[in-house]
Amino acid sequence: MAEKFDNLEEHLEKFIENIRQLGIIVSDFQPSSQAGLNQKLNFMISGLQDIEKCRLQLNEINVPLEVFEYIDQGRNPQLYTKECLERALARNEQVKGKIDTMTKFKSLLISELSKVFPEDMAKYKAMRAEDPPS
Amino acid sequence: MFSTLFGQSDAQGPPGSGALGFGSGKPPPPLPQSQVSLSGQLPPQIGDEGPMLRKPGASNEPFYLLRDLPVGNELTGNSNLITHYNLEHAYNKFCGKKVKEKLSNFLPELPGMIDCPGTQDGSSLRSLIDKPPVCGNSFSPLTGALLTGFRLHTGPLPEQYRLMHIQPPKKKSKHKHKHHRLQDPLPQETPSDSDPKKKKKKRDDDPDRKKKKKDKKKKKNRHSPDHPGLTGSQPNSSSLR
């Protein structure tokens, strides 16, 4: 899996470097640079071919759309991962608090009801003990 | 919630509320505690509209509408999900240390001004999703006839297009990238500089350009001991020609 990404990354780096050099040639063009320019253009096309081949290996990769918003704003996409983890932890703590509160409430309710309706609660507890969750 | 577990003594529900186990007619009055167990034994015609909520043989049970407990799930919010999914390392990596804000910190090798929003120069990924490019065609190399379309005019680019190559200053790249990367798109010694008309144009254009050239000269002099001790205060040096 990591090899597929490494392969794609390598091709992309070469492609970007080629484009950068193309830009330098074009920024102050000389007649003697024409051959080099033609070569760079064909390198660009072969680079696109290589990237196209990598695309087939990465069909199953899913990227969350929110990451694209971060990149479009010029922000580090690792911040998205960080915020996801922080939100997950906060939500985990929130749900744990609810579960703990409900558990305490249940035990308190059962104990109070047992004081008021001892026979019925004894039957209820026996029934619950007989029938585990299906 | 309590009414569904233990029945409702003061029910004034509409006749159509049979799904809750309340049949037509008056509900029974509240009974003393010792007779609670008998109250559950109702005649079958009352509450027949809600058999799906009763357990089999529920008519003998003392409790109305005692539902089965939900299936217990091993994994709930009660457990630490980050530990469960072995994400402690990722958590410490992203949340333990400070993550830098800019995109250029994530991709330091990428040229160009990448910290600017993509909407400014039309390079946003969102536009790629909204208007996907044409795919499926094959890539074929350019032949001689097609390459004639790429014959360019000599000389530098117009001013408004030059900024694309300027990279933001990088603190780390001083020693590594100095020798094998061309930071400056403007070459120092080119055959076109021998043209006297162009020379005049260049000198007249930007005072900033002169300063940049002076700095480059100084750097060159530091690295090449063969050069005479030229200082930056001599604009009419041979390197300009």
Side-chain angles (χ1 to χ4, degrees), chain A residues 27-41:
Chain A
S27 65
D28 196 357
F29 187 73
Q30 304 303 320
S32 55
S33 313
Q34 185 65 53
L37 176 73
N38 294 344
Q39 191 189 33
K40 296 289 178 198
L41 288 168

Side-chain angles (χ1 to χ4, degrees), chain A residues 13 16-17 19-20 22-32 34 37-39 41-42 45-46 48-49 52 55 65-79 81-83 85-86 88-89 91-93 95-97 99-100 102 105-106 109 113 115-121 123-125 127-128 131-134, chain B residues 1-2 5-6 33 36-37 55 61-63 66-72 76-82 87 90-91 93-95 97 99-106 110-111 114-119 123-126 129 139-142 147 150-157 165 167 180-182 184-187 190-192 202:
Chain A
E13 279 176 2
I16 289 165
E17 179 60 23
I19 298 286
R20 195 186 67 83
L22 197 65
I24 290 170
I25 293 171
V26 168
S27 65
D28 196 357
F29 187 73
Q30 304 303 320
S32 55
Q34 185 65 53
L37 176 73
N38 294 344
Q39 191 189 33
L41 288 168
N42 280 319
I45 291 166
S46 62
L48 287 170
Q49 283 172 332
E52 174 76 17
R55 188 178 69 88
L65 282 176
E66 290 85 0
V67 181
F68 289 175
E69 289 174 14
Y70 277 68
I71 294 169
D72 286 345
Q73 291 165 14
R75 296 177 70 198
N76 192 342
Q78 288 177 334
L79 289 170
T81 311
K82 180 185 172 185
E83 285 173 21
L85 285 165
E86 286 173 348
L89 189 67
R91 187 81 178 140
N92 196 173
E93 286 174 353
V95 171
K96 186 180 188 309
I99 291 170
D100 289 344
M102 295 299 278
F105 174 68
K106 181 190 171 185
L109 182 66
L113 282 170
K115 289 175 194 171
V116 180
F117 303 111
E119 290 175 6
D120 290 322
M121 286 308 295
K123 283 179 189 170
Y124 173 76
K125 284 177 189 174
M127 220 178 299
R128 285 297 187 211
D131 299 326
S134 57
Chain B
M1 179 176 134
F2 299 103
L5 286 173
F6 299 109
Q33 203 171 344
V36 163
S37 58
K55 288 163 61 176
E61 303 288 340
F63 304 110
L66 187 62
R67 297 183 188 184
D68 294 334
L69 282 173
V71 178
T76 62
N78 207 21
S79 51
N80 187 341
L81 296 171
I82 287 180
L87 290 172
Y91 183 80
K93 181 185 168 188
F94 291 107
C95 303
K97 303 169 196 173
V99 177
K100 291 184 181 174
E101 182 72 25
K102 290 185 181 176
L103 185 58
S104 54
N105 296 119
F106 180 66
L110 210 60
I114 60 171
D115 293 332
C116 301
T119 48
S123 65
S124 67
L125 294 168
R126 193 77 213 177
I129 296 165
F139 296 102
S140 49
L142 296 170
L147 283 168
F150 291 96
R151 286 185 186 162
L152 306 180
H153 294 289
T154 55
L157 276 178
H165 302 288
Q167 299 182 30
H180 70 266
R181 283 190 75 167
L182 299 168
D184 186 10
L186 300 171
T190 59
S192 68
K202 282 185 181 176

Side-chain angles (χ1 to χ4, degrees), chain B residues 186-217:
Chain B
L186 300 171
Q188 295 175 7
E189 293 181 13
T190 59
S192 68
D193 288 337
S194 60
D195 191 355
K197 288 182 185 175
K198 281 199 174 179
K199 244 200 288 183
K200 279 185 185 175
K201 265 192 182 178
K202 282 185 181 176
R203 282 179 193 172
D204 293 336
D205 277 342
D206 284 334
D208 290 337
R209 272 173 123 194
K210 284 183 188 174
K211 281 183 192 173
K212 277 186 191 173
K213 283 180 182 173
K214 283 178 191 175
D215 291 336
K216 276 174 225 161
K217 256 197 204 172

Side-chain angles (χ1 to χ4, degrees), chain B residues 165-176:
Chain B
H165 302 288
I166 295 173
Q167 299 182 30
K170 290 176 189 172
K171 293 174 189 175
K172 292 180 188 176
S173 62
K174 273 181 188 172
H175 298 288
K176 282 180 192 176

Side-chain angles (χ1 to χ4, degrees), chain B residues 143-165:
Chain B
T143 58
L146 292 168
L147 283 168
T148 54
F150 291 96
R151 286 185 186 162
L152 306 180
H153 294 289
T154 55
L157 276 178
E159 200 63 46
Q160 66 260 35
Y161 300 117
R162 261 185 230 163
L163 289 170
M164 286 167 64
H165 302 288

